[in-house]
Amino acid sequence: MKKDKDRMSVNPFLTYGYAGPEYFCDRKQETAALISALHNGRNVTLTAPRRMGKTGLVKNAFNHIAETETGTACIYIDIFPTRNLHDFTQMFGKAVIEGLQTAGEMVLSKITSLLTHCRPTLSVDPVTGAPSLSLNVVPSHEEQTLGEIFAYIKASGRRCYISIDEFQQITQYPEQQTEALLRSYIQFVSNASFVFSGSSRHLMTEMFLSAKRPFYQSTQLMELKPIGREAYYDFAEGFFARRGGHMEKDAFDIIYLKFDGQTWYIQAVLNRLYERYYNVDNVEKVDATIASLVEENTPAYQALVSLLPDRQLEIMKAIADEGVVTSPTNGDFILRHNLKAASSVSSALKALTAKELVYKTERGYMVYDKFMSLWLRRL
């Protein structure tokens, strides 16, 4: 291992954020398909498990649009933290106003003249000198405020691309008409195209494919799959080679297969390998790095499982042990892991799915956190 002073100052394997196309692996076809749909006036529903790279794909597409089109506005929000329509309206309104205004154009009088049911406040960051907007929506006036925000988008006259991440969160709001309300506004904003992305496949599918729901067949559907193994290896090896190092193909394959091509986990392992080694020339280095990442998270996992009922923990351990389980209520699976009756397994599995500790894919049930799955196998 060479001395730290010889290393690059920035690790190219990002585990959060978007730093430009140079640090974004492949997804050329997906990026082109997303941009084409938006350019042709089609809204898009983008689904994938968490940590597969939905946000990165959207931001990569938006980066391309921003560089090739003048006068457009690309706006991204993640509504996972929101709990009701009030939260959504405040977050959405703030993002729209900031996205449509440049620093020199953010004039409070102009904003307040169009948004009469909320109280926008403009302040200046004492460090950067940049304007900062806060938006206080008057309680019980969320619907009127949303209408004004969409009218504000339309009145801007600019082409807008708006991504709402974890869109299935609106199904958890106490206001049961949120879907219909948003649909009624979105369909009349002709200068804006939307990306609705989500990690809960069954909820997103229900929202956009059920004839009973307001967004029925209103978008183009895209499901994000893992990045191809060869393309991902070329991406990884390229950064090691750039500083005179090398990553063996067999070592990379171990990472890719262990984490089913799931982007964030691969990036997390590559980030640590890049930090520690110039040459990743054997599997032992990969195994030791993964083990250290699992160990780092041990206190969090211990705290989490201490809150689980015994039955739920037993099923999580059983699923982790097998990696993927097609039929968890099957008699063979129950016998192999000394579980209770099928009805008991079913109710515990439902609770684990609701807590997003376990999720169902086309292949079967898996533990959501791949590092936690490895940790559970050791118990």
Side-chain angles (χ1 to χ4, degrees):
M1 189 186 299
K2 293 190 178 181
K3 293 181 180 179
D4 288 345
K5 67 179 181 180
D6 294 329
R7 294 169 175 269
M8 292 177 63
S9 60
V10 178
N11 193 312
F13 299 106
L14 306 178
T15 56
Y16 65 92
Y18 175 81
E22 180 184 2
Y23 302 100
F24 184 76
C25 179
D26 194 36
R27 300 285 193 207
K28 294 180 177 63
Q29 291 185 346
E30 295 93 330
T31 300
L34 181 56
I35 292 172
S36 179
L38 296 175
H39 278 170
N40 287 280
R42 299 191 299 274
N43 295 333
V44 174
T45 298
L46 178 65
T47 60
R50 266 195 213 116
R51 298 181 169 180
M52 188 62 79
K54 297 186 304 298
T55 300
L57 173 62
V58 170
K59 291 192 174 182
N60 192 55
F62 280 7
N63 179 75
H64 179 83
I65 291 171
E67 289 186 344
T68 56
E69 299 179 33
T70 58
T72 59
C74 294
I75 300 165
Y76 168 88
I77 60 169
D78 179 354
I79 65 169
F80 185 71
T82 64
R83 293 294 176 264
N84 49 49
L85 185 60
H86 186 272
D87 292 349
F88 176 90
T89 304
Q90 289 204 158
M91 180 182 285
F92 182 63
K94 184 176 187 296
V96 165
I97 293 169
E98 291 180 341
L100 287 173
Q101 306 294 321
T102 65
E105 293 177 331
M106 194 171 286
V107 180
L108 194 59
S109 59
K110 179 181 177 181
I111 297 169
T112 53
S113 67
L114 293 169
L115 304 178
T116 60
H117 286 88
C118 61
R119 295 186 292 271
T121 304
L122 195 61
S123 59
V124 177
D125 189 299
V127 177
T128 65
S132 177
L133 178 78
S134 61
L135 194 68
N136 296 309
V137 177
V138 178
S140 76
H141 286 79
E142 292 84 5
E143 292 190 20
Q144 296 93 325
T145 303
L146 264 181
E148 291 172 353
I149 293 168
F150 280 103
Y152 187 71
I153 295 171
K154 193 170 184 179
S156 73
R158 296 171 63 182
R159 185 67 194 159
C160 300
Y161 301 96
I162 302 173
S163 174
I164 306 177
D165 203 357
E166 299 300 347
F167 189 65
Q168 76 278 342
Q169 186 67 20
I170 68 171
T171 65
Q172 308 302 310
Y173 294 173
E175 299 87 0
Q176 311 227 337
Q177 298 303 313
T178 301
E179 284 180 61
L181 180 68
L182 288 175
R183 177 76 173 103
S184 68
Y185 290 135
I186 287 170
Q187 65 182 331
F188 294 115
V189 184
S190 57
N191 60 317
S193 294
F194 290 81
V195 180
F196 307 105
S197 59
S199 57
S200 180
R201 188 170 181 269
H202 74 281
L203 284 177
M204 293 291 286
T205 300
E206 176 70 18
M207 290 173 74
F208 290 93
L209 291 182
S210 171
K212 299 177 182 179
R213 306 291 280 266
F215 280 97
Y216 173 61
Q217 290 189 341
S218 62
T219 65
Q220 175 178 325
L221 305 180
M222 288 182 65
E223 185 170 6
L224 199 59
K225 302 292 186 181
I227 296 167
R229 197 195 316 179
E230 295 299 322
Y232 215 145
Y233 170 70
D234 291 342
F235 173 79
E237 164 61 9
F239 283 113
F240 278 92
R242 189 177 300 180
R243 64 173 186 179
H246 173 62
M247 165 165 265
E248 289 287 344
K249 179 69 163 57
D250 289 346
F252 176 82
D253 286 348
I254 290 293
I255 304 169
Y256 187 93
L257 295 173
K258 187 180 287 289
F259 297 106
D260 297 314
Q262 205 156 337
T263 307
W264 185 86
Y265 296 98
I266 297 172
Q267 290 289 109
V269 177
L270 290 173
N271 180 283
R272 299 305 178 92
L273 288 169
Y274 189 88
E275 176 187 17
R276 297 176 180 185
Y277 309 109
Y278 265 66
N279 294 301
V280 182
D281 48 11
N282 59 62
V283 173
E284 287 74 18
K285 290 179 178 179
V286 171
D287 289 340
T289 299
I290 293 173
S292 69
L293 280 164
V294 173
E295 188 62 31
E296 280 181 24
N297 288 291
T298 291
Y301 297 149
Q302 289 174 332
L304 194 154
V305 300
S306 70
L307 301 175
L308 291 177
D310 290 345
R311 199 155 295 168
Q312 292 179 25
L313 178 57
E314 289 170 1
I315 292 170
M316 270 195 80
K317 288 166 63 177
I319 293 173
D321 186 55
E322 301 207 3
V324 58
V325 179
T326 306
S327 303
T329 56
N330 181 277
D332 291 340
F333 174 76
I334 290 172
L335 287 173
R336 271 199 308 277
H337 297 280
N338 195 29
L339 301 174
K340 303 296 182 183
S343 59
S344 174
V345 171
S346 182
S347 61
L349 190 63
K350 184 177 180 181
L352 289 169
T353 304
K355 294 173 183 176
E356 295 193 336
L357 295 173
V358 169
Y359 73 110
K360 186 178 182 181
T361 70
E362 293 176 346
R363 294 166 54 202
Y365 287 90
M366 300 180 185
V367 174
Y368 220 125
D369 186 327
K370 299 290 187 183
F371 289 147
M372 187 177 188
S373 183
L374 295 175
W375 180 79
L376 286 167
R377 291 180 198 177
R378 304 187 324 193
L379 295 183

